[in-house]
Amino acid sequence: MKTKISLLIISVVLCITAYSFFIEPFLVKMNYIELGDENKKETLKVVQLSDIQLSESYTEDRLDKIVKKVNKENPDIIVFTGDLFDNYSVYSNENKIIDQLKKMHAKIGKYAVWGNHDYGGGASRIYDSVMTASGYTVLKNNGTTLKLKNDKEVYIGGLDDSLLGNPSVDDTLSFREKNMTILLYSLMNLMLLMILKAQTLS
């Protein structure tokens, strides 16, 4: 009986390990969230990316799948909420990464914040320049106000990372006027591709 239980435990551990290393890293989760009045025709489509964590086992070549999914959504805004790298000191290939991230297109703009992995392993020296070269505006306790087609405005603010940075909600929101707000913040979670479709005529 003890042998069977031991074998069962070992099997479960092996399955979880195999899933963690060989299946989960290659999944792209997509979540769709709609906010506001669905009867109003004017919408703002925001695509959020998070925790790509490029590494020796998940190289920039695999970004093709993400790029295609993002561009298929034809977003107004793309936001990246941190952890571009897994461990920059072990794996880095900035030029190819920039080439891939440049392929993501947004009608209004692309914005990014820092994750804890973007600080570690020496990534803090190049994260800002990689994202900027890829067409992203990197936000760090600040934000910007965007004019929309319908003469409405939306404020996009970005907090610094909570583990290795110094986030300040007060500083970030001090740039904001009284308009719709999107606040970006890096959380430790799985790779996420979230499509946010918000009504902008409310």
Side-chain angles (χ1 to χ4, degrees):
M1 184 68 176
K2 286 184 179 178
T3 304
K4 287 183 179 179
I5 292 174
S6 297
L7 286 173
L8 179 62
I9 291 171
I10 291 170
S11 298
V12 169
V13 170
L14 287 175
C15 288
I16 290 171
T17 303
Y19 177 83
S20 299
F21 284 95
F22 301 109
I23 298 173
E24 190 271 329
F26 305 104
L27 295 176
V28 177
K29 290 185 178 181
M30 296 183 70
N31 297 305
Y32 290 82
I33 300 173
E34 291 200 20
L35 304 174
D37 186 350
E38 63 183 18
N39 296 318
K40 292 183 176 176
K41 294 181 180 178
E42 290 285 346
T43 62
L44 179 70
K45 184 178 273 193
V46 180
V47 170
Q48 179 201 1
L49 295 161
S50 186
D51 294 80
I52 294 175
Q53 296 188 356
L54 294 168
S55 64
E56 290 174 309
S57 61
Y58 194 92
T59 67
E60 69 283 343
D61 295 331
R62 295 186 180 273
L63 286 175
D64 275 335
K65 182 178 180 181
I66 297 173
V67 169
K68 287 174 184 173
K69 285 182 178 289
V70 167
N71 289 338
K72 185 179 178 182
E73 294 299 328
N74 192 27
D76 295 300
I77 297 169
I78 298 172
V79 296
F80 179 69
T81 50
D83 287 354
L84 177 64
F85 300 101
D86 179 43
N87 185 345
Y88 177 76
S89 64
V90 175
Y91 181 84
S92 61
N93 201 342
E94 293 98 295
N95 291 332
K96 288 188 177 180
I97 293 169
I98 290 168
D99 288 342
Q100 287 285 44
L101 294 179
K102 273 183 176 177
K103 294 176 185 175
M104 294 183 192
H105 302 296
K107 289 178 271 190
I108 295 174
K110 304 193 291 188
Y111 300 88
V113 293
W114 292 70
N116 63 304
H117 285 265
D118 304 316
Y119 276 103
S124 60
R125 296 192 303 268
I126 58 88
Y127 176 71
D128 195 294
S129 60
V130 166
M131 297 308 289
T132 300
S134 304
Y136 284 79
T137 298
V138 180
L139 302 172
K140 194 173 187 179
N141 295 330
N142 62 355
T144 186
T145 299
L146 305 175
K147 285 257 188 200
L148 306 178
K149 290 184 296 186
N150 55 12
D151 292 327
K152 298 284 185 179
E153 293 181 341
V154 61
Y155 175 78
I156 296 187
L159 290 167
D160 198 2
D161 176 64
S162 60
L163 288 179
L164 300 177
N166 186 24
S168 172
V169 173
D170 290 340
D171 287 350
T172 304
L173 295 182
S174 68
F175 296 86
R176 179 180 69 117
E177 297 176 14
K178 292 182 179 178
N179 42 31
M180 186 170 78
T181 299
I182 298 172
L183 190 61
L184 308 180
Y185 186 53
S186 177
L187 295 173
M188 291 180 291
N189 52 12
L190 302 176
M191 183 189 299
L192 175 69
L193 174 58
M194 182 162 62
I195 316 304
L196 174 64
K197 191 175 178 184
Q199 308 301 327
T200 60
L201 283 182
S202 56

